Amino acid sequence: NCQDAASIYNGYAQLELAMKNATHARDLLMKGRDEVNRQSIGNDSPHRDRGVFVCHTLGMLELNSNRATEALHIFEDAMEKYGRSSLLLLGCALCEVKLGNTEEARTLFERAIDHDDNHAQAWQAWGIMEMRAGDYDTAKALFECGIRKCPRHGALWHSYAVMEGRMGHASDARLLFARGLKQVADYVPFYQAWSSMELREGNTNAAKALITRALTVDKTKGLSWLIASDIESKLGNRGLATLFLRRGIECAPNEAVLYKALGDIVLACGKINEARI
């Protein structure tokens, strides 16, 4: 007798996705979508909003499952039923990026931002697409516009700083990481990316301090343990590098990259049977 069953289905599906049960999540989202469609939409915006969220989650599930065409159909069908929204337009844009249709994606990103210029993910995703296309000036302009509109969105600062670091502008990247942390304190991806950059720059002490901070904030992030191990490997401390990987597996047992890295170290020591395990 729930009056908002679609939201329950959506929440249940999000839980299943967090547990890597994509098939069950997909079934739940389809039921949630059907539940919304059975209700009288009319001008009842709450019901339309539920439909948008359920379809967005379903579309992103398909996109993340490398089913971009199916995801695009879901987003487009949702816009026909519930009207255009920045969330659905962004979903379509991401599908077009995945399908290699850059011009279509640009048009959709622009429409998403025109619909809601406070949509931080739209600014970030568009900037990342331009960065990957090698148009760094446009990417920079998009990241800066997004930050002006949404200064507390950590992923925007992160993407911008990472781009500057990859371009060899280490000083600018450091400034962006530091400014981002003032806006979003203890955002682990900042510490991870900043530490990796300092390691590339040869500043191992700074890299160590940053990744230590990341692990202090959250020990369940496998990437942090991997970076810590890489730092020690670069310093020739194979034993400590191995220790970090083993500790990382204890804290993040589902991170496959940690097992691979540990297997590589063990194999390099000639312990073939242990590497197999």
Side-chain angles (χ1 to χ4, degrees):
N1 298 318
C2 178
Q3 297 300 309
D4 186 15
S7 290
I8 302 298
Y9 279 117
N10 190 54
Y12 191 176
Q14 295 280 12
L15 175 62
E16 293 294 336
L17 284 172
M19 298 172 66
K20 312 298 183 183
N21 299 328
T23 300
H24 191 201
R26 183 180 290 109
D27 291 341
L28 289 165
L29 290 166
M30 288 180 175
K31 289 178 181 177
R33 184 176 59 178
D34 292 344
E35 190 69 29
V36 173
N37 290 338
R38 275 195 292 270
Q39 297 178 16
S40 176
I41 303 298
N43 292 319
D44 189 356
S45 60
H47 287 307
R48 290 204 305 273
D49 289 344
R50 301 300 183 271
V52 167
F53 281 115
V54 168
C55 290
H56 177 262
T57 306
L58 179 59
M60 291 306 297
L61 187 158
E62 299 296 3
L63 184 60
N64 292 330
S65 300
N66 293 317
R67 291 157 55 93
T69 301
E70 291 82 352
L72 184 58
H73 291 326
I74 290 167
F75 291 129
E76 290 177 339
D77 181 67
M79 283 194 289
E80 288 184 11
K81 286 186 172 69
Y82 314 121
R84 292 183 179 86
S85 80
S86 184
L87 206 59
L88 295 174
L89 287 164
L90 174 58
C92 289
L94 293 172
C95 291
E96 297 291 5
V97 171
K98 193 82 169 182
L99 293 168
N101 302 324
T102 305
E103 288 304 320
E104 290 84 346
R106 281 195 185 97
T107 299
L108 288 160
F109 280 129
E110 186 172 3
R111 288 171 62 191
I113 289 170
D114 284 343
H115 201 278
D116 179 8
D117 62 3
N118 288 310
H119 193 172
Q121 291 88 348
W123 289 108
Q124 183 210 5
W126 191 359
I128 288 174
M129 186 190 78
E130 300 297 353
M131 177 182 70
R132 290 175 176 168
D135 190 346
Y136 299 113
D137 289 340
T138 298
K140 180 177 180 178
L142 290 165
F143 290 141
E144 289 180 348
C145 286
I147 286 169
R148 280 197 297 272
K149 290 288 183 179
C150 314
R152 297 189 61 78
H153 189 76
L156 271 166
W157 289 100
H158 176 262
S159 298
Y160 191 5
V162 167
M163 184 184 77
E164 292 292 346
R166 289 177 180 173
M167 293 172 65
H169 305 157
S171 296
D172 291 337
R174 289 186 188 101
L175 180 61
L176 288 165
F177 281 128
R179 289 174 60 197
L181 282 169
K182 288 181 180 179
Q183 294 290 335
V184 191
D186 289 338
Y187 185 64
V188 171
F190 283 152
Y191 293 112
Q192 292 171 336
W194 195 351
S195 178
S196 293
M197 186 192 78
E198 296 297 356
L199 182 59
R200 291 194 304 272
E201 294 290 314
N203 303 321
T204 52
N205 288 336
K208 273 188 178 184
L210 288 162
I211 207 60
T212 298
R213 180 57 185 163
L215 290 168
T216 301
V217 173
D218 188 349
K219 291 181 171 62
T220 68
K221 302 300 183 185
L223 179 59
S224 297
W225 292 105
L226 185 62
I227 294 168
S229 177
D230 285 344
I231 293 169
E232 297 304 330
S233 291
K234 291 285 175 62
L235 293 171
N237 302 327
R238 180 177 289 178
L240 194 51
T242 303
L243 183 63
F244 274 127
L245 291 173
R246 294 190 187 280
R247 178 62 176 145
I249 288 171
E250 290 177 5
C251 297
N254 295 321
E255 291 286 352
V257 292
L258 295 177
Y259 293 94
K260 180 184 181 302
L262 180 57
D264 288 342
I265 288 180
V266 171
L267 186 60
C269 295
K271 300 176 182 179
I272 298 174
N273 289 332
E274 187 178 346
R276 287 193 181 104
I277 295 171

